[in-house]
Amino acid sequence: MASSVVVPSATSGIQHVSSILLASRARNDGSTIRPARIAHVSARHRSHLRSDLLPGSVSTLRFSPSAFPVHRSTSSRFVKVTSVLAKDDVVATGDEGSQGQQSRTESFLLAVEEGEKRVKELEGKVDVKRRALEQLQADINKLYSETFAGVEIAPEAPAGGEEEGKEAEKVQQPAAAGADVPPRVFESMDEEAWGNLGRSEPSVLKALIESVDRRAWTAFQRDVHSLALRRDRTRQELRQLQDQLDEARAAAAAPMEESSAESDSEAEGPAAVIPGLGPRAERRTANIVLVAGFESFNVALYKEAAAQLRAKCPGIRLSVFSNRDILSKSKEMEAALARADVFFGSLIFDYDECEWLQQRIQRVPIRLVFESSLELMASTTLGSFAMSGGKSQGMPAPVKAVLSKFGGGREEDRMVGYLSFLKVGPKLLRFIPGKKARDLRNWLTVYGYWNQGGLANVVNLFLYLSNEYLLPTGVTAAAPMETPPLGLYHPDHDGYFTSPSDYLRWFRASQKGLPPSAPVVALLLYRKHVVTQQAYIPRLIRMVQEAGLIPLPIFINGVEAHTVVRDLLTTQYEQEERRKGVMATSSLSRDAVTVDAVVSTIGFPLVGGPAGSMEGGRQAEVAKAILLAKNVPYIVAAPLLIQDIPSWKRDGVQGLQSVVLYSLPELDGAIDAVPLGGLVGDGIHLVPERVRRLTSRLWSWINLRRTEKSQRKVAIVLYGFPPGVGATGTAALLNVPKSLEALLKRMHADGYDLGPAGEAIARDGINGEDLISLLQELDADRVVSAGEKGPELALKAVNDKLQRAEDGPRSIPEGVVPVAECIDWRQLRDWIGETLTGRMERAWGELRKIRAIHCDAEGRSVISGIQLGNVWIGVQPLLGLEGDPMRLLFERDLTPHPQYAAFYKWLQRGMQANAVVHFGMHGTVEWLPGSPLGNTGLSWSDVLLGNLPNIYIYAANNPSESIIAKRRGYGTIVSYNVPPYGRAGLYKELAGLRELISEFREDPVKNESLKPAIVGALVTAGMQADCPFVPSDGSTGGEAVFLDEESIEGVTEEDFEKYLVKLYEYLAVVENRLFSEGLHNLGRPPKEDQMVQYLSAYFGDDLDDTAIEAVAHTHGDLAEVRQRLEQLYLRDGVAPPARDAEVDARVAEAVSIRQLLARNTEEMDNVLRGLDGDYVPPAVGGDLLRDGPGVLPTGRNIHALDPYRMPSAAAWERGSAIAANIIQQHVDQHGTYPETIAVMLWGLDAIKTRGESVAIALALVGAHPVKEGTGRVVRFDLTPLEQLGRPRIDVLANLSGIFRDSFANVVELLDDLFRRAAEADEPSEMNFIKKHSLALQAEGIDASTARIFSNPAGDYGSMVNERIGAADWENGEELGDTWQSRNSFSYGRGEQGVARPEVMRKLLQTTDRIVQEIDSVEYGLTDIQEYYANTGAMKNAAETARNGAKVSCSVVETYGKDLRPRDLEATLRLEYRSKLLNPKWAERMAAQGSGGAYEISQRMTALLGWGGTTGFQEDWVFDQAADTYALDDAMAAKLRKNNPQAFQNILKRMLEAAGRGMWQASDEVIEKLRELYAEMDDELEGVKLR
C-alpha cells in the first residue's frame, strides 16, 4: 500500500488547509524516539525556525498514525542530529523556566496518537448505530406484519397479454372483471415484500389497502412514516460514522516496510526515480502543464515565468492555461497533458472541470494541486507523497487533535495556526530521514514557493522541482522570497508595514491632504494580489484616499481575516465598552488602531475566508460576536475574480462568484455589496464608477454615525400597491399604522427631532390610521393637481372627516405637517444625468412635454408627505404600469416614470436625508430595471437609492425576496416576526354538524330523525366533495352518491355509521387547522395568550396544554416553570405525570422559545441600531413552525442559504418521501404511472425548505444529489432503474424569477440531468424523459431535452394576477394562454431564456399532474395572488393542451410532519373553511384596522382568481363570504370604516363573480350587494385614492 503524510498547511485560497487534511493519509510504525533536549540553536538554524515553535524541552516524540513516517532504525540518527543541534553555536531560544513545558511542535507530533483512540471510539459508535438501525427495521417490518399479515383480499384477475417483468405495464393493465380468482391471504408482510408487491402487482396492493380497517390504515401510515424517517436518519448517521471510521483507519495505515539502508540512502542526494520519468541524469526535457483557476489573473505572470525558465533551462517547457481553456482550448490542453511530466493546478473548483482534468492527469507522474476541490487535490502525488480520500465532510479526529494545538485554543484560529507550520515544516523535516519525509518536505517547499507568489518565486519553484525530480538544470533555485503573511501596503511606501499603528503614523506624516478627523476605513486585501502586484490594488487604495477616507490596506492570506478584525482593529464603540469594563475581545492588540468601517475585498465568510466556505455559516456566530464588538459597518466589496465585466453587466453576477460576494458574507451580516470590477481577459480591472459608489456609501454610513440624532434627517417610506384597493400603509403580515406609531414614539425617546408634535407623541402617542388617511388624501388627484397648495386641501379634508368620527371628534395633531415638493423636468434631468434622461424619454416621451403620473397642473412631479421635524413620511410612488411591480425588473428598455425617479432623488438631493426606512414587505425600488445581481451605474435601483443608508423592515419568513432588497436595494434588513398562530375551530354549520353527529351516535335508533338535518348541514357546508359517500355494496361501481333527504333513506345503518366517522375525522382536521392570526406589531412581544398560541402550534400534541400554560404564564427560568407546572396539576386535581427526559427536554425547549419570542422588542431596537449606523446582527430567515427556534429572535439582518448546498440532506429525505407519495396518489387515482409531472420551483419555498421542491423533482426523475468533499452539491446522478423499480417520470420544471436568478447553479444541474436522462441506455417505456425527447426529435423540434421554463430573461411574473385584478379577461383559457406565453422560455446550460413555445406545448400535452409545495402557514393557496396566477393558470394551460382532459394537482403542505399530498380542490375548500369563511379568522383580521381590511379584500380577489383559472366555483364559498363580510352589518361597518376602498373591492369581486356565472346568488343578495357598492361609490366619488 502506498503511504503518504498528513500535511497541515496555510491557505490563501479556497479551503486548502482543511482540504489537505481531509484528503491526506499516512502510514508509519509508531516508533518512539527520545531525542536530547534542545536548549539552544545556532543562528543559522534559528533563521530557519520560528522561536515560538522551538521546544524548550523535548521529551518523547511518538510518530503515530498520520504523523511523519520514521523508521525504528533511524531513531539513533535522529538523536544524533538533535544532539549536535543542542551543542552547536549556543544561542538562547527562551527562558530556561519553560523546560518542562511542551512546545507546539511537540504537541503537534504527540496529538496524532489520538488516531488509534478515535478508531476504537468510532467502531463503538458504528456498532451502536448499526444495532439501532436493525431494531428500527425490525419495528417497521413488525408494523407491516401486524397491519397486513392475514388480511384476506379478492383481487381481480390480470388482463391477458401481460409480460413478465414489465412493471410499468402491469400497473397500467386493468384486471379482468368477473374472473374466478380465489381469495388471497398474505401470511407474512414486511417492507421489502410491500415494495415488491407495489412494483409488480399494484392493483393487488391497492386491494390490500382497501381491505384494512380505515383507522388501522391511518394509524399504520402515521407510525410507519415516523419509523421510516427515524430509520433513514439513523442510516444516514451510520453512513457518516462509517465514512469517519474509514478515514480514521486510513490515517492509521500499516507501518512502512523499507529497510534502514533504503531509508538512509534515500535521504542522501537527489530524489529517487519516479515511475514514468526515468533517471534524472538521462532526461533532457521536462514538460510541465500549469492550469490556473480562480487566479486566472496570474496567467500572464505564469507565462512570463515560462519564458524565463526556457531562457535559464531550455529543457523545461512550461505550458500555461486557465480553467476557462478547458472549453475553448480543450484539444490543445488534452495534447499537452498527454505528454506532461508534471501537472500543476491551483484554485480549481468547478466539478465538471475537475472531473475533466482528473480523467486526463492520472498518467502524469507528478501531480501538484493546490487550494482546489478535494477530489482534484486527492490526485496530488510527488514521489512517495500522495493524497487520497476527500469523502468526509468533517475533519478526522487526529487532525482535530492537531488543530487544537494551533490557534491558541480557539477553533476559529486553527487554520491561521497552520501558517506557522507551513513555514517551519520543511525545516523540521530536514531532521527526519527517509524518502517519504523528503518528498513531503519537497511538497511543502513547492507549496511555500507558490504561496509566497511573485514571478521570481514561480521561476524558482519549477527550478527546484526540476532539480529534485525532473532533470538537472545547472541552476540552483534561490530560497523563496518571503513577504509577511500579514501586512499593510500603500503604493507610496517602498515595502510593507507589519504594524497598523506604524502605518497610520507614516500615513499621517506623509499624506498631508486629509484632515485629522478623516475616517479610517480598513481594507482587507488578498496577499497574493499585493505580492503579484495586481494593478487594481494601488488604484483602489488611491481612489479610497481621493474620496477623503484614510485607507488602512491590510493584506492577508484569507483565512485570518477574523483575527485581523478582532485583534488589530478597534472602534470608538469598543473602546467605550472597554472603559465600562466590557471586554468582548480579550486578545485585542495594543497595536490595534481605531477604524470607522471595515471593507473586505476577500468575500467568503469572515472566519476562515475561503477555507471557511467548506461549511458555510458554521462559524457565523464567531463572526457575529467579533463584528458586534466592533459595531461599525461591515461591507464586502470586491472585483469579480472569476467573471468578466461584460458578462456581469449583461447577465449579472453569477454562479460561484455570487456565492463569494453575496451568499457567504451575508451569513456574517455584511451589507452593501458592490462589485468593484472584474476580469478583462485574464486581468483584474476596476470600474471607477463602482468604486465611487462604495466610497460614497461608506461616507453616508460614517456621516450617519457621526451626526447627532437630533440632527439626523430620516425618510420613512410606506407602500400603496396595488392602487385603488386600500393598500396604502400596508405590508405583508405587519400592522403598519400601529407599528408606525411605536416607531415614532421610540424615535422621540431616543433623541430624534420630531418637531412640535414630538412631545404630544411622547405623552399621548399618535394615531397611525389618521396618518395613513392623511397620506391617502395627499395622493388624491385634486390635491396633487394643486401642487404646493395641495397639502392644505388634504389637511382640511382629513380634519373634516375626523370631526365626524364615530368614536368622537379629533384632528391631526399640531406639528404633523403635510407637505408637497414640486420638481420640474430640468431639476430631474440635472439629478439623473443626460444618459438616464435619454432612456426615460424613450420610455415616456420628452420630459418637458409629458404630463406623467402624480403631476400638478404645470406638469411638475409632486412629492407629497408628512413632516414631523426631521422625520418625513411618504408613500412610495406607483411604477406607472398596471400590475405587479416585478414586471419591470430587468426590462432594460423600460424605466420608472419621472415622478418615481424624482421621489427618490429628492430624498437624497432635496430633503438630504441621512437614511431611509422602508417600512414592511415589500416595496418596488429594489425590483427596478437593471442588472439582475450586482448593480451597475445604469441599474435604476442603484441610481435612485444612490448613497442612502437603507433600513428595510422585512418579514422574517420571506428570505427569498429579502435578499433582493438586500442585494439590489442595499437594504440592511431588520426582520419582524409572523403573527401568532390560531386554530380554526368549528363554527356555524360545521359546529352544528358535529353536534348533530355526536347526538345521533348516542342512540342511532332513537335519533333516526336527525339524518335529514345532518344531510342538510352537509349540503350547506359543501362537505360532500371532501367526504364522498360510497355504498359498500358496490352498487354504484365505487362512485360516490350525493346524499340528500331522499337518498339518505336507502343508506344502511353500517354504511351511515362509517360515513359519520369519516365526517367526524374531517371536522377534526378543520378544527385543528392553523392560520396566521391578525397582523404583527413591530417590536411588541407576544402577550401571554399569544405565547400560548405560538407554543401550542409549535409543539402540537408533543406537549400538553398544562405544560404550555405553565411556560406561557411564567416569566422565570426552567425551575420556576416546573414549580408552576406542579401547582397547575394540583389545581386541576391531576396527578403529575412521571418525570420523563423527553418531556423535560420539550419543556426546556418551550421555555427557550418563550424567551426568544419575548425578544421581539429587538425588532425596534435594531431599527434604531440601523439608524445609528451600527452593525445589525444576522440570522437565517424563516418561521418558527417550519424552521424551528433558530429563526428567533427576530429583528435580524436575515439571509438565505448557500445555493451550492441545495437540496440539504433533510430536504432530500423529505422531498423523496413527498415524491413517492405523489406517485402513489396518482397510481391510486388513475391506475397508471404519470408520464409528466410539472413541479413549481419557487425561491421562497426553496430557501425555507432548503430545497425540498428540487428534491421532489429529482426523486420523480429517479435521481439523487452528488456532493463533493466540502459538501457542495455538484451533480444530480441517475439512480439505476433496477434500484428505482419504476419508470422515470418526466418533469416540467416551472421556475419563479427569484429561483431562476438565485439558483443558477441548480438550474444548470437540472438541465444536465435531463440531458443525461434523455440519452440513457434505457427502454423508453421505463424512461418517460427519453420517450418524450425522442417524440420531439421525431417532429423536428430542437432542444428536445429542455425541461426548465420561466419568464423571459430578467422578467418576472405570469401577469395572470394583473388580468384578474383589472377584470381584463373573458374566460379561463385566456388566462392559461397568458401564463403559457409568459413561461415558455427555456433555461439551462447555454440557455438563458430562449423562447421554446413548441417544447412547452408538447410537454403540457403529456402533463398528468402538477405539484405545488406550501412552505408556511402564513402563505396558503388562498392568501396570495401568486398561487392561482401560476399553479392555477398552468393547470388551465395543460388542460387546454390536452383538449380539455383534466390535469390533477397535488398540494403538499410541508410546514408540518404530514407529507401526504392533497388534491388542489380539497386544499382550497379546507383553506376557505379554516380562514376566509371562519368568523374567528375574520374578526381577528378585521380588528387590524386598514391593513386587516386590505388582507380580507385581497383574499376575495384570489377567490375570483381560482375560479377563473381552475373553475373552482362553489356556491357555498361565495354564499358564506357574502354572509361574513357584506351582509353582516357589524362586520360591513367595521370594514367600511377601516378601509373604504378595501371594502369596495370585496363588494366588487362578489358582484363580478355573480356576473361571470361563478356564483349563483339569489336576487335579494345581489341587490343588497349592488346597494352597498353604490353607497361606497358615492362615498369615494371624486376622490381617487390608492
Side-chain angles (χ1 to χ4, degrees), residues 304 392 425 626 895 905 936 1262 1531:
E304 175 61 24
S392 173
I626 292 170
T895 77
K905 297 307 286 188
T936 71
M1531 176 63 76

Side-chain angles (χ1 to χ4, degrees), residues 14 21 221 226 274 397 457 588 887 1147 1311 1359 1392 1434 1508:
I14 305 257
L21 295 169
Q221 286 183 299
S226 175
I274 293 177
N457 281 328
L588 187 67
R887 283 180 53 200
V1147 172
D1311 182 58
M1359 294 181 66
Q1392 294 299 316
M1434 184 187 202

Side-chain angles (χ1 to χ4, degrees), residues 489-491 521-526 529-530 534-547 549-553 599-602 637-639 674-677 684-688 690-692 694-695 698:
Y489 162 78
H490 193 283
V521 175
L523 295 175
L524 303 184
L525 307 172
Y526 266 125
H529 295 188
V530 174
Q534 297 300 315
Y536 86 89
I537 294 284
R539 191 177 185 195
L540 174 62
I541 294 169
R542 291 192 191 282
M543 290 190 70
V544 171
Q545 189 169 330
E546 289 165 3
L549 303 166
I550 297 177
L552 187 75
V599 176
S600 171
T601 69
I602 308 295
V674 180
L676 300 179
I684 306 172
H685 291 260
L686 295 178
V687 176
R690 289 293 83 196
V691 179
R692 287 192 290 273
L694 168 66
T695 56
L698 279 167

